């Protein structure tokens, strides 16, 4: 418990030392709201990396953190703006595509319906959203290796279900070789 109190005391000292200078620094470079948000991110970084804060250069180290956090904020805002512009350029479709409506590929929809929710999520993220296993891993908060394994199994299961549907349809007459294997 003593170590935790010492850590808290050190953090409070650093925060008190850098509060005013960082506030001025950030407000000269960003809006008040953005400056406040970035300052919160800086404090979080200081807390997480408190052992890395050099005793003889606290303020310069924190300026570096603030500078990087502000750059991250600007990049995120730029990405957001580009996304909004792309969405605006695409416009609203007349009719939204529903891959599960079954009109074009009823056998695929039926086979997907037999999969678990997790299997269906992985398949649709891969096939319809065109994500790579490493990207799906981020979405599902798991490892890329786990996604690759689950994707491989889900694809095999889906292929098996589709094959069963197409070979065991109504009116299917098995050939002689199939009958011999069953006996």
């Amino acid at each position: 418990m003593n170590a935790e109190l010492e850590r808290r005391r050190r953090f409070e000292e650093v925060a008190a030392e850098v509060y005013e200078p960082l506030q001025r620094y950030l407000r000269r470079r960003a809006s008040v709201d953005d400056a406040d948000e970035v300052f919160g991110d800086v404090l979080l970084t200081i807390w997480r990396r408190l052992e890395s804060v050099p005793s003889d250069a606290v303020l310069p180290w924190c300026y570096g953190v603030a500078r990087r956090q502000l750059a991250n904020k600007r990049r995120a805002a730029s990405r957001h703006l580009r996304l909004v512009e792309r969405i605006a350029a695409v416009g609203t479709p007349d009719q939204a595509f529903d891959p599960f409506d079954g009109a074009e590929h009823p056998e695929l929809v039926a086979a997907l319906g037999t999969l678990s929710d997790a299997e269906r999520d992985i398949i649709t993220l891969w096939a319809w959203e065109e994500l790579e296993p490493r990207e799906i891993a981020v979405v599902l908060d798991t490892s890329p290796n786990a996604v690759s394994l689950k994707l491989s199994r889900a694809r095999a299961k889906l292929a098996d279900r589709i094959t069963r549907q197409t070979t065991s349809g109504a009116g299917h007459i098995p050939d002689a070789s199939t009958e011999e294997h069953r006996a």
Side-chain angles (χ1 to χ4, degrees), residues 108 122 145 157 166:
L108 175 61
I122 286 178
N145 289 340
K157 192 172 181 180
T166 58

Side-chain angles (χ1 to χ4, degrees), residues 86-99:
R86 282 185 14 223
I87 290 171
V90 170
T92 306
D94 295 334
Q95 182 177 13
F97 170 69
D98 180 4

Side-chain angles (χ1 to χ4, degrees), residues 2 11 18-20 33 57 68 83-84 91 94 112 133 152 182:
N2 195 11
F11 174 76
V18 302
Y19 179 82
E20 287 296 326
D33 290 339
R68 287 185 290 279
L83 177 60
V84 168
D94 295 334
L112 281 169
S152 177
R182 287 188 189 169

Side-chain angles (χ1 to χ4, degrees), residues 43-101:
L43 289 177
L44 182 60
T45 301
I46 293 169
W47 176 256
R48 287 182 179 160
R49 299 190 53 210
L50 192 57
E51 293 77 25
S52 300
V53 179
S55 299
D56 59 341
V58 172
L59 188 56
W61 188 88
C62 291
Y63 277 142
V65 171
R67 186 176 145 274
R68 287 185 290 279
Q69 292 291 345
L70 192 55
N72 289 344
K73 177 83 173 151
R74 288 181 178 146
R75 279 192 298 275
S78 177
R79 283 191 305 269
H80 178 77
L81 180 60
R82 285 193 310 269
L83 177 60
V84 168
E85 288 170 351
R86 282 185 14 223
I87 290 171
V90 170
T92 306
D94 295 334
Q95 182 177 13
F97 170 69
D98 180 4
F100 295 106
D101 75 355

Side-chain angles (χ1 to χ4, degrees), residues 9-26:
R9 185 195 58 73
R10 168 86 167 120
F11 174 76
E12 289 171 356
E13 286 175 2
V14 170
E17 180 180 339
V18 302
Y19 179 82
E20 287 296 326
L22 283 182
Q23 286 290 332
R24 287 190 307 268
Y25 175 85
L26 291 169

Side-chain angles (χ1 to χ4, degrees), residues 105-111 158-174:
H105 303 287
E107 65 283 347
L108 175 61
V109 173
L158 182 63
D160 179 62
R161 301 290 163 80
I162 290 173
T163 302
R164 285 183 187 189
Q165 286 179 13
T166 58
T167 58
S168 64
H172 175 72
I173 301 172

